[in-house]
Amino acid sequence: MQHASSDRLKTGLLLFAVAGLLSGIALYVAGRVEMAGIAWFVGVVPVLVALLVEILRSLWQGEVGLDIVAALSMTAALAFDETLAAAVVAVMYSGGTFLESFAEGRARREMHDLLSRVPRTATRHRNGGLEDVPLGDIELGDLLLIRQGDVVPVDGLVASEGAFVDTSAMTGESLPVRLLRGAEAMSGSTNAGEPFDLTATRLAEESTYAGIVRLVEEAQRSKAPMARLADRWSLGFLAVTIAIAVAAWWFTGDPIRAVAVLVVATPCPLILAVPVALVAGLSRAAHFGVLIKGAGPLETMARVRTLILDKTGTLTDGRPQIVLIDSRDGMGEDEILRFAAALDQASKHPVAQAIVAAAKARGLVLPVPSDVAEIPGEGVVGRIDGHEVVVGGADFVAERVGRPLGDTPVGAAGSVLVAVAVDGHLAGHLVMADPLREGISDMLAGLRREGIQRILLATGDRAAVAERVTEGLGLDALRAGLTPDQKVLLVLSERKNGPVIMVGDGVNDAPALAAADVGVAMGARGAAAAAEAADVVLLVDRIDRLGVGIEVARRARRIAVESVVAGIGLSVAGMIAAAFGYLTPVQGALLQEVIDVAVILNALRALWIKPHDAISGQE
């Protein structure tokens, strides 16, 4: 509402100023010179009054900006009967603020799209029928029907044979994604295929999409440190403007030259280019699945020199995968996996669920286990198709078969080893590991090209495991066995090398994320505490988006600086020309209007940043 009322006021002031300018010109052409002056005067007054109110409000808050120059130029032009110049300045100033508002609105469009897509109700299976319920009534475990075109209302697991979802609004992926039974479906994605059932795993207020909406609202309310820096620069520019205007009047005795100088300086590109470029950068980063909580973190992100990465769930996928099936009894790999997965259907242990998922991915048909008994933390025993099967740790399985299992399979160091026995004989081992995410090496190389000078790993895992996983990545340092407070100390100690960015996904990473200059959370599957503490949230479960986010931040900041430097340089040149009498007040006003439009259009280039590391097809 506040944005809407402000936009209406800016639109009204622009229309009034334009009406005054055009009616005055018509009267002047008709030979009614005095009436033309009155029309121009009337068109200026509302803009000047609104400007003075804004200046007083800013001074009350302890801020001094370049709006003062605009007020001085209009006041001086009216005082010296340069009403046409004052009218042009009024149109220029109100037009500039309107264009700024339009530009920021365009830059926020993708964020507003997120908000406008929030579903209000969901369709739930209940007592053999369907009912529409508010999102707040959805409970964990509820079975929901997601029709074609529906937005997924809460995070959940696909309960049908499969689903075809469009995640472009959340991740920037241009192609729909196929999800199999049991796969995680992210709230906010859209059903692009046939209707499917979804089992709710999070409440509406805890789901990914609800969290993203809250973070978007925070981002929109922020003000960048760079914008405050621009305000400080504005004091110097204001002093230079007044000095040139006074000098022109003093040495020539012609007050009109001072008026021309003030007009050329109104308004400064500083107050236009910086917020437009940074807000555009926020929107562009969100397009690629990188939600930055405001322009401040974006500007800091553009200056980082040190990167600290967590391991599990960040550098690695965080979910164990089968990397080797070791056969010991002549049984085929698929048969070993089938026995293990069929029995593990009765267990909720993460390793067991990973084994079941691997078997389904291979298309194996899993029979229903019977006579199942699970010893928590050790293993599972039961019967599959009449065979007695034991799945678990080596010691557990060895105890059940009554003999040692022999040597550990090659490549099992630093991995999870699951033994499988069938009818009292060791059938083989499933070697499971948490591998590096795809594209890690390329991403780190790209970050170094972007100016990241130090890359470190900070993990609570054992040093041997961390060293094995990160071998060949060329990290500058590796810190293993760290507690949450030790991660914080590492972040603080690395600040001597420049701004630090920390990336993590777990609750134990939250303190370090908060301590870093820029904290980045893996938001797709990470803990809520990490997302709350972080400055940046990766909306898609891909660490390679970090490189995209940093590149967008750097280029958006560079565009802002370019716009400011070019705009100020042109304004100063115009002021000097006006001081020497080469520009009249009207000509100066028109020149400054051209400068302001140019810097805003240049700042809007941030909306079309194309990161080198962006995934093919996202555009």
Side-chain angles (χ1 to χ4, degrees):
M1 290 299 294
Q2 184 177 1
H3 279 300
S5 60
S6 176
D7 290 345
R8 284 195 295 269
L9 175 61
K10 292 175 181 178
T11 302
L13 290 174
L14 174 59
L15 293 176
F16 202 91
V18 170
L21 177 62
L22 294 180
S23 61
I25 292 175
L27 290 169
Y28 185 87
V29 172
R32 308 290 295 276
V33 178
E34 291 186 5
M35 292 298 295
I38 293 174
W40 290 327
F41 184 92
V42 171
V44 172
V45 170
V47 178
L48 181 57
V49 170
L51 181 54
L52 291 173
V53 170
E54 184 63 31
I55 291 172
L56 290 175
R57 184 184 294 117
S58 298
L59 291 175
W60 180 260
Q61 296 173 353
E63 299 177 358
V64 179
L66 288 166
D67 289 343
I68 294 176
V69 178
L72 284 175
S73 65
M74 279 187 273
T75 303
L78 292 178
F80 292 99
D81 202 28
E82 290 285 344
T83 51
L84 175 56
V88 173
V89 171
V91 171
M92 175 194 67
Y93 180 78
S94 57
T97 56
F98 174 81
L99 185 56
E100 176 189 4
S101 177
F102 172 79
E104 291 185 356
R106 169 64 178 83
R108 287 193 298 262
R109 186 186 64 184
E110 290 175 24
M111 293 187 180
H112 287 161
D113 287 345
L114 282 176
L115 296 173
S116 65
R117 297 177 69 256
V118 177
R120 306 299 178 188
T121 62
T123 303
R124 179 171 64 186
H125 290 274
R126 180 59 57 91
N127 299 325
L130 297 172
E131 60 179 0
D132 288 336
V133 296
L135 292 193
D137 291 350
I138 297 176
E139 299 178 354
L140 297 181
D142 278 353
L143 187 63
L144 307 176
L145 173 65
I146 312 300
R147 300 184 177 92
Q148 186 173 25
D150 282 356
V151 174
V152 178
V154 297
D155 295 340
L157 301 179
V158 176
S160 302
E161 288 302 316
F164 205 50
V165 296
D166 178 3
T167 63
S168 59
M170 306 292 291
T171 67
E173 295 278 5
S174 59
L175 299 176
V177 178
R178 179 71 177 176
L179 301 178
L180 300 177
R181 179 187 291 272
E184 298 177 7
M186 183 189 301
S187 56
S189 53
T190 303
N191 183 9
E194 297 298 322
F196 68 92
D197 290 334
L198 180 84
T199 302
T201 58
R202 287 187 183 178
L203 300 178
E205 64 269 18
E206 298 173 353
S207 285
T208 302
Y209 195 62
I212 290 170
V213 169
R214 288 194 296 271
L215 297 180
V216 167
E217 291 171 340
E218 291 178 21
Q220 291 176 337
R221 289 194 298 266
S222 72
K223 183 181 181 184
M226 191 175 179
R228 291 193 292 271
L229 178 62
D231 290 340
R232 291 197 295 270
W233 286 355
S234 70
L235 291 175
F237 187 81
L238 176 60
V240 170
T241 299
I242 294 175
I244 295 177
V246 170
W249 190 355
W250 179 270
F251 287 107
T252 66
D254 183 3
I256 302 304
R257 292 197 183 186
V259 173
V261 170
L262 292 174
V263 166
V264 173
T266 310
C268 177
L270 268 174
I271 63 176
L272 300 175
V274 172
V276 170
L278 295 188
V279 173
L282 293 178
S283 176
R284 193 57 175 162
H287 173 76
F288 291 105
V290 183
L291 181 62
I292 305 175
K293 295 183 185 179
L298 181 139
E299 199 260 335
T300 305
M301 196 175 182
R303 298 183 293 108
V304 293
R305 291 292 178 268
T306 300
L307 170 64
I308 301 177
L309 292 163
D310 173 49
K311 183 180 75 69
T312 305
T314 302
L315 199 62
T316 65
D317 186 64
R319 291 175 288 196
Q321 299 178 20
I322 297 175
V323 296
L324 175 68
I325 299 179
D326 173 59
S327 177
R328 292 298 178 94
D329 197 24
M331 187 179 294
E333 291 186 1
D334 282 355
E335 192 67 8
I336 296 172
L337 179 58
R338 190 180 77 89
F339 276 120
L343 185 57
D344 274 340
Q345 290 178 105
S347 174
K348 291 186 177 181
H349 193 281
V351 172
Q353 294 301 306
I355 291 174
V356 173
K360 290 182 177 180
R362 291 195 183 195
L364 302 181
V365 178
L366 304 181
V368 178
S370 60
D371 302 327
V372 178
E374 180 174 6
I375 292 77
E378 295 190 37
V380 187
V381 297
R383 299 190 68 82
I384 303 295
D385 291 340
H387 298 279
E388 182 180 349
V389 180
V390 184
V391 179
D395 293 340
F396 175 79
V397 175
E399 181 181 346
R400 291 299 186 276
V401 301
R403 66 175 67 87
L405 300 185
D407 297 333
T408 300
V410 176
S415 305
V416 175
L417 185 64
V418 179
V420 182
V422 180
D423 294 330
H425 297 280
L426 177 66
H429 297 91
L430 304 179
V431 181
M432 309 189 71
D434 186 10
L436 288 174
R437 290 178 181 269
E438 184 180 355
I440 283 292
S441 296
D442 292 339
M443 185 203 73
L444 295 182
L447 289 176
R448 291 194 185 277
R449 289 193 299 269
E450 283 295 319
I452 301 295
Q453 297 170 354
R454 283 177 57 79
I455 301 178
L456 301 85
L457 179 71
T459 178
D461 209 344
R462 303 187 308 275
V465 175
E467 289 172 357
R468 179 177 180 273
V469 168
T470 61
E471 185 178 0
L473 289 183
L475 301 177
D476 295 291
L478 188 154
R479 302 286 186 269
L482 299 182
T483 60
D485 57 330
Q486 289 174 329
K487 287 186 178 182
V488 171
L489 291 176
L490 176 62
V491 168
L492 296 177
S493 67
E494 285 296 326
R495 278 185 167 172
K496 65 180 182 294
N497 299 313
V500 174
I501 185 170
M502 168 75 192
V503 188
D505 76 319
V507 174
N508 63 326
D509 296 317
L513 295 178
D517 295 284
V518 178
V520 180
M522 302 293 297
R525 289 192 291 115
E532 290 292 332
D535 303 294
V536 179
V537 180
L538 304 185
L539 304 182
V540 60
D541 192 30
R542 298 184 64 119
I543 186 63
D544 57 1
R545 298 299 174 90
L546 174 63
V548 172
I550 290 178
E551 185 175 353
V552 168
R554 290 188 188 279
R555 292 174 64 181
R557 184 177 184 273
R558 187 181 306 128
I559 288 171
V561 172
E562 289 172 356
S563 300
V564 167
V565 171
I568 290 180
L570 292 172
S571 295
V572 171
M575 285 189 288
I576 294 174
F580 281 96
Y582 294 112
L583 292 175
T584 66
V586 174
Q587 291 171 337
L590 295 175
L591 173 63
Q592 188 57 54
E593 175 73 355
V594 172
I595 294 173
D596 291 334
V597 171
V599 297
I600 291 176
L601 293 177
N602 184 68
L604 281 173
R605 288 193 299 117
L607 283 172
W608 292 277
I609 292 173
K610 293 184 178 180
H612 296 102
D613 296 329
I615 296 175
S616 174
Q618 280 185 305
E619 299 300 308

